[in-house]
Amino acid sequence: MSRLRIVPFVLVLLLPGLALAGKKEDERIAELEARVAALEKTVAAMDGVVQQKVDAAIAELAQRDQRAAQLAQQISITANRGDQAKARALLDEFEKKYAGTDADKRLASLKAELEVVGKSAPAQFAVEKWYQGADAFSGIDGPGTSLLVFFEEWCPHCKREVPKIESTFEKFKDRGLKVVALTKVTRGATDEKVESFIKANKLDFPVAKETGALSSYFGVSGIPAAAVVKDGKVVWRGHPARLTDGMIESWL
């Protein structure tokens, strides 16, 4: 048999096998494509679940921040009304749930004030000099209600608020309110300037130069500042502008 006759014969024998192999390859490709499609679908589903969890976490954080802001506002309102004991209790609750939130950071100043509430008044009243009222001052660690005012004569806000304390003193001194103003004489202030400040504003309550120990004890970081001590315990700490006659009366 010649080669020319053998080749067609061989081709006839091989073609069915080749066709079958090609068909199987197509099936394998289709199967692989199906697997890839299934994997893509699974990944997409997983991405959806992850996104849902992320969205839920973001929503929870937003709700937490909202609750923190609401409680922080309640604390501020309660403190400004003069009930700082209740405000301190609310702050303790706040710290357990919302420490580190933006609302917590905004409460920093108020927190420093509330931390003083409940402290015992210092038995040693450390002053360097009395400008007036030393004989009338009997301390703040015993019975009665005392209002402490921290100021500097160069401070514009002090110049506005301290004279108002004189009006408060005149109104309540016969009911037992004691007032003492304290300065550290800083930023170019002098004893002479403090004495002129006292005279110009006709202050009638005791005024003294302190060492800084009292400012530290009462958590004073800015002026003017005030604290109220009742029967030897600090019951209020804040800006003197927040004091009202009703608050004073509640402590007498």
Side-chain angles (χ1 to χ4, degrees):
M1 186 180 293
S2 69
R3 289 185 178 180
L4 291 175
R5 292 179 178 179
I6 293 173
V7 170
F9 177 75
V10 171
L11 288 175
V12 170
L13 293 174
L14 290 176
L15 282 175
L18 291 173
L20 181 60
K23 183 178 180 182
K24 289 182 177 179
E25 186 65 25
D26 290 342
E27 290 176 351
R28 284 197 293 270
I29 291 173
E31 182 182 355
L32 287 174
E33 289 177 344
R35 289 181 180 180
V36 170
L39 284 172
E40 289 177 343
K41 186 175 181 180
T42 301
V43 170
M46 291 175 64
D47 287 344
V49 171
V50 170
Q51 188 60 51
Q52 288 177 359
K53 290 183 177 180
V54 170
D55 292 342
I58 292 173
E60 174 59 27
L61 285 174
Q63 291 174 1
R64 182 172 181 263
D65 286 342
Q66 184 177 13
R67 292 192 296 269
Q70 291 172 345
L71 184 53
Q73 183 178 25
Q74 184 182 354
I75 292 169
S76 297
I77 292 173
T78 303
N80 289 339
R81 287 175 178 171
D83 192 354
Q84 290 197 331
K86 182 177 179 180
R88 179 66 186 270
L90 289 173
L91 179 61
D92 290 341
E93 176 186 343
F94 180 94
E95 288 295 291
K96 292 176 183 177
K97 296 179 179 179
Y98 306 118
T101 61
D102 288 341
D104 185 36
K105 297 173 184 176
R106 291 193 295 271
L107 279 176
S109 178
L110 180 57
K111 285 166 63 177
E113 294 175 354
L114 292 177
E115 285 174 359
V116 181
V117 175
K119 291 178 68 173
S120 297
Q124 298 298 321
F125 205 77
V127 298
E128 293 183 7
K129 175 180 180 177
W130 287 96
Y131 295 103
Q132 66 180 29
D135 295 338
F137 182 75
S138 58
I140 61 173
D141 58 329
T145 301
S146 300
L147 169 59
L148 283 70
V149 183
F150 297 84
F151 79 102
E152 295 294 340
E153 64 84 23
W154 49 261
C155 167
H157 302 292
C158 300
K159 291 179 179 179
R160 181 185 67 243
E161 297 300 330
V162 173
K164 295 178 184 178
I165 298 298
E166 176 61 31
S167 299
T168 300
F169 177 63
E170 291 298 327
K171 187 178 296 185
F172 294 107
K173 65 180 181 179
D174 291 338
R175 294 177 57 183
L177 178 66
K178 295 181 287 185
V179 174
V180 58
L182 300 159
T183 177
K184 292 187 290 186
V185 191
T186 62
R187 293 192 187 181
T190 63
D191 289 341
E192 291 73 22
K193 288 181 179 180
V194 173
E195 289 167 350
S196 296
F197 179 85
I198 294 170
K199 184 176 180 180
N201 291 286
K202 300 178 181 180
L203 304 182
D204 197 36
F205 46 77
V207 181
K209 178 182 179 181
E210 63 130 335
T211 63
L214 289 169
S215 289
S216 178
Y217 189 87
F218 284 94
V220 175
S221 58
I223 50 172
V228 175
V229 177
K230 178 178 174 61
D231 298 333
K233 294 284 187 181
V234 181
V235 295
W236 186 86
R237 170 69 182 84
H239 193 287
R242 301 206 301 259
L243 283 169
T244 66
D245 287 353
M247 291 163 64
I248 296 293
E249 288 179 344
S250 71
W251 294 316
L252 293 175

